[in-house]
Amino acid sequence: MNKYFNQEFPGKLFTVEGIDGSGKSTQLKLLHQWLQNEGYGVFFSEWNSSPLVKTTTRRGKTKQILTPTTFSLIHATDFADRIEREIIPPLKASAIVLADRYIYTAFARDVARGVDPSWVRKLYEFAVRPTIAFYFKVPLNVALDRILSSRAQIKYYEAGMDLGLSSDIKESFKLFQEKILIEYEKMIDEYGLTVVDATLPINDQQKKVREIVVKKIKELKKFPKPFNYFSQFAAKK
Ligand SMILES: Nc1ncnc2c1ncn2[C@@H]1O[C@H](COP(=O)(O)OP(=O)(O)O)[C@@H](O)[C@H]1O
Ligand SMILES: [Mg+2]
């Protein structure tokens, strides 16, 4: 496996991290739309989305037979597939890649599950270093309120029920997220994560994110927007 962490690619990679409910997907979607509207070539890749391991992951989760190690290895396989198919090719082609969760998610979650920190870091040695790795920092209670008010159900592994922290799923989720938060905090200095105050209103955060991104993409090419023939006939209000 190639080591990419110190290699430079002409494209730019922006990643978002934070506990569940920190607002990272909201911010990345807004950034994505804006970059596209500006005319940049933008690609998106999401944690745990590779078709390669989908069936295995689903089976393991449904039957609740995943151990911290097998869970970690499945995610690493998912990531290896996406880095080779979805992340490196656009980076080589001078495009922008946006990743919703990156290796730091593995470092936070797997270590919270009891996996050895240096083992999991070594496992992901083939990752590309992000241009900017945003970390959406939010107190646990703020994130929990957002999650619990917007979602009907929390899933078994998402709540860390496999760790036996509590038989109550909400309590387990809280304890698991707390452990993850501790791991993220350690990584701010270790990896130079770019911290965003995720308690701020959505627009304020987005403004900061764009200010940081725009400085890094100056040399990238913008493409003219495709001419939409039918737009000239669109009804004017
Ligand atoms: N800055 C914010 N203030 C208040 N609510 C927010 C903020 N950002 C996101 N949310 C809401 O919190 C919930 C979780 O956001 P999401 O972006 O899915 O978080 P994540 O991807 O980090 O789990 C959503 O309902 C979203 O609308
Ligand atoms: Mg999300």
Side-chain angles (χ1 to χ4, degrees), residues 19-26 146 150 198 200-202 205:
I19 55 172
D20 286 347
S22 57
K24 55 194 174 304
S25 299
T26 304
R146 288 180 191 165
S150 70
L200 294 174
I202 291 173
Q205 288 184 55

Side-chain angles (χ1 to χ4, degrees), residues 54-208:
K54 212 175 179 171
T55 324
T56 312
T57 313
R58 197 186 301 130
R59 186 149 15 99
K61 282 184 175 171
T62 313
K63 296 194 171 175
Q64 296 174 2
I65 51 172
L66 294 168
T67 68
T69 310
T70 55
F71 207 5
S72 180
L73 289 169
I74 281 178
H75 281 119
T77 308
D78 177 282
F79 182 78
D81 183 40
R82 288 184 303 106
I83 200 133
E84 288 179 1
R85 284 188 309 107
E86 297 179 355
I87 297 176
I88 289 178
L91 289 178
K92 282 186 176 166
S94 305
I96 295 173
V97 180
L98 304 178
D100 193 338
R101 296 185 168 281
Y102 202 61
I103 54 174
Y104 314 104
T105 282
F107 301 165
R109 282 189 188 162
D110 294 353
V111 173
R113 281 206 154 83
V115 165
D116 181 66
S118 48
W119 179 83
V120 68
R121 281 160 171 74
K122 187 120 185 73
L123 186 60
Y124 283 89
E125 242 177 14
F126 58 89
V128 175
R129 185 197 298 274
T131 309
I132 299 283
F134 288 103
Y135 170 53
F136 292 88
K137 186 179 164 103
V138 72
L140 187 59
N141 283 339
V142 175
L144 287 176
D145 284 349
R146 288 180 191 165
I147 286 285
L148 300 175
S149 65
S150 70
R151 268 215 266 144
Q153 230 189 0
I154 302 165
K155 293 178 203 136
Y156 182 88
Y157 282 99
E158 205 179 10
M161 288 296 277
D162 54 314
L163 297 178
L165 299 169
S166 167
S167 54
D168 177 64
I169 193 151
K170 278 190 187 165
E171 184 58 23
S172 173
F173 181 67
K174 193 174 158 188
L175 294 169
F176 185 46
Q177 292 295 317
E178 200 168 20
K179 280 173 174 284
I180 292 171
L181 192 56
I182 291 168
E183 294 308 320
Y184 270 132
E185 292 294 313
K186 287 186 209 161
M187 284 188 275
I188 296 174
D189 286 342
E190 185 183 355
Y191 291 103
L193 305 181
T194 299
V195 180
V196 178
D197 179 354
T199 61
L200 294 174
I202 291 173
N203 284 352
D204 293 0
Q205 288 184 55
Q206 185 60 202
K207 195 165 168 268
K208 287 180 199 265

Side-chain angles (χ1 to χ4, degrees), residues 12 73 97 160 214 222 233-234:
K12 303 289 171 188
L73 289 169
V97 180
V214 87
K222 283 191 190 186
F233 303 118

